[in-house]
Amino acid sequence: MSFINDDTGSKQNDSLFLKRVFMGAGAIALLVILILIIRVAFNVMLMVLAGTLIAVYFNGLADAIERYTPLNRRICMLISVIGTFAIIGLLFWFMGTKIQHQVNALSEDFPRLLAKLESQVRELPFGAKMLDNVSGNDSQKIMNTAQNFFRTSFGVLGDIYIIIFLGIFFTVSPSLYKNGIIRLVPRGGQPKAKEIINRLSLVLKGWLKGMMIAMVLIAILSFTGLTIIGIPMALALAVIAGILNFIPNFGPIMAMVPAVLLGLVDSTQSAIIVAALYILIQTLESNIITPTIQRRMINLPPALLIISQLLMGTLSGALGIILATPMLAIIMVLVEELYTKENNREDVEAAMP
């Protein structure tokens, strides 16, 4: 009789073990599927984020117009959208052709500039050995990447088209999407969800305002400095510097490279002066503009920002690097609101007598 019971118990244990194995395998399979879905749809999520940033910009500009004029909200929003596109159109009308010609010329001159840089590096004591350690394929990849950057920086329209229209749709009826997100949360958590969304909007508005001021300031200072030094294609280089300043850490370095290479066409001294100019401009930006931005948004640790840029760049390329900062800001706000504050509140309540 005991043998029968032992045999039955053994079968039940085996059945329970197999059930747990299948449940574990199913959970792992589900996790892998979710990761694959997120990986495939990650670019779409980033485009939604970019569209959200555009909507935040339009609403922020409409808020400023409404604050200083007696116009109602709808007219302010209309002025915000139409005025922005009108200003961009006028800028392209007056400067677009010149910028495009300078960018094309810069792209065509890149092989010659890199060859000149290579010859000058070989004259250094350890220059020849350093260049010999770099294979020809790697050098060709670097040159092709640089040329493709200048050919496509002002010509990529597909994703921009979708992002702009997403931004316009979010701008037209922001409450529709905001209320839709809030309704997905259980009723008890809806006030907290509304509070978090409002804070995210405030953080993104402050960050975007600061970044736009920084971009314009960097472009103006770069154009002025490069013109005084006498570097050709100063307008294109200034526009590139302003746009790339949107990417913290890596953007200013990327913007400095073509300017320094053009300085080498004149002399090594000119290249050093150009590098010093870019370093000076970035120092001024870091000590004046960045503190202003950080007062309006959550403080982002530099190491976390670099890690975020590397991860986002690996997942989604250039678009991921561009949007790494707002994505990190959103994550940190969510962590603070949903985790840190709750833990602090529980600690305070536990410490109370």
Side-chain angles (χ1 to χ4, degrees), residues 17-333:
F17 175 74
L18 289 175
K19 184 178 180 180
R20 289 178 177 176
V21 168
F22 283 121
M23 288 178 64
I28 294 173
L30 181 60
L31 180 61
V32 171
I33 292 172
L34 288 175
I35 292 174
L36 291 175
I37 292 174
I38 292 173
R39 177 66 183 88
V40 171
F42 195 70
N43 284 344
V44 178
M45 294 168 59
L46 289 182
M47 292 172 73
V48 172
L49 175 59
T52 303
L53 290 176
I54 292 177
V56 167
Y57 160 76
F58 285 139
N59 280 278
L61 184 57
D63 290 340
I65 297 172
E66 188 177 12
R67 190 180 305 118
Y68 296 107
T69 64
L71 302 175
N72 62 44
R73 179 68 181 181
R74 183 170 297 180
I75 295 177
C76 292
M77 188 66 71
L78 195 63
I79 294 174
S80 172
V81 176
I82 296 178
T84 298
F85 283 110
I87 292 173
I88 293 174
L90 289 173
L91 288 176
F92 273 100
W93 178 268
F94 289 110
M95 297 193 306
T97 303
K98 185 176 181 179
I99 293 174
Q100 185 65 46
H101 286 322
Q102 291 188 6
V103 170
N104 289 336
L106 191 59
S107 175
E108 292 171 0
D109 285 345
F110 238 88
R112 180 171 61 86
L113 295 175
L114 290 175
K116 183 177 178 65
L117 176 63
E118 181 180 354
S119 64
Q120 294 191 0
V121 171
R122 285 189 180 278
E123 295 176 359
L124 299 174
F126 300 99
K129 185 176 181 180
M130 181 180 66
L131 290 175
D132 290 338
N133 291 330
V134 180
S135 66
N137 291 333
D138 292 336
S139 301
Q140 187 64 33
K141 287 179 181 178
I142 294 173
M143 188 169 66
N144 291 338
T145 301
Q147 286 181 279
N148 290 333
F149 169 77
F150 289 106
R151 286 175 183 165
T152 59
S153 290
F154 294 89
V156 177
L157 297 176
D159 290 348
I160 295 177
Y161 177 85
I162 297 172
I163 290 169
I164 289 175
F165 272 88
L166 282 174
I168 292 175
F169 290 141
F170 292 157
T171 302
V172 171
S173 54
S175 59
L176 174 65
Y177 304 100
K178 177 181 175 180
N179 294 334
I181 295 174
I182 293 174
R183 287 173 184 171
L184 294 175
V185 179
R187 188 177 296 275
Q190 289 183 0
K192 182 66 174 179
K194 185 176 181 180
E195 178 185 343
I196 292 174
I197 291 176
N198 289 335
R199 189 185 171 195
L200 286 173
S201 176
L202 184 64
V203 167
L204 292 178
K205 280 182 182 179
W207 171 79
L208 199 57
K209 180 180 178 181
M211 288 305 301
M212 292 184 66
I213 294 173
M215 290 167 66
V216 173
L217 180 62
I218 292 296
I220 294 173
L221 292 176
S222 300
F223 177 73
T224 304
L226 293 172
T227 303
I228 293 173
I229 296 172
I231 300 298
M233 309 176 195
L235 182 59
L237 292 172
V239 172
I240 291 171
I243 292 175
L244 289 179
N245 193 68
F246 193 85
I247 307 173
N249 301 317
F250 302 111
I253 298 174
M254 295 165 60
M256 184 172 65
V257 171
V260 172
L261 288 177
L262 280 173
L264 282 173
V265 175
D266 184 15
S267 64
T268 305
Q269 184 179 1
S270 296
I272 294 174
I273 294 173
V274 171
L277 171 67
Y278 272 74
I279 293 172
L280 175 62
I281 291 173
Q282 286 304 316
T283 301
L284 292 174
E285 188 270 340
S286 300
N287 289 280
I288 297 175
I289 304 299
T290 300
T292 303
I293 297 172
Q294 289 183 346
R295 281 199 298 268
R296 293 178 172 270
M297 65 176 292
I298 192 168
N299 190 16
L300 300 178
L304 278 183
L305 182 56
I306 293 175
I307 293 171
S308 173
Q309 288 176 316
L310 294 175
L311 290 175
M312 297 282 285
T314 302
L315 289 173
S316 193
L319 185 61
I321 296 175
I322 292 171
L323 297 176
T325 305
M327 178 68 79
L328 180 60
I330 291 172
I331 292 173
M332 291 195 68
V333 169

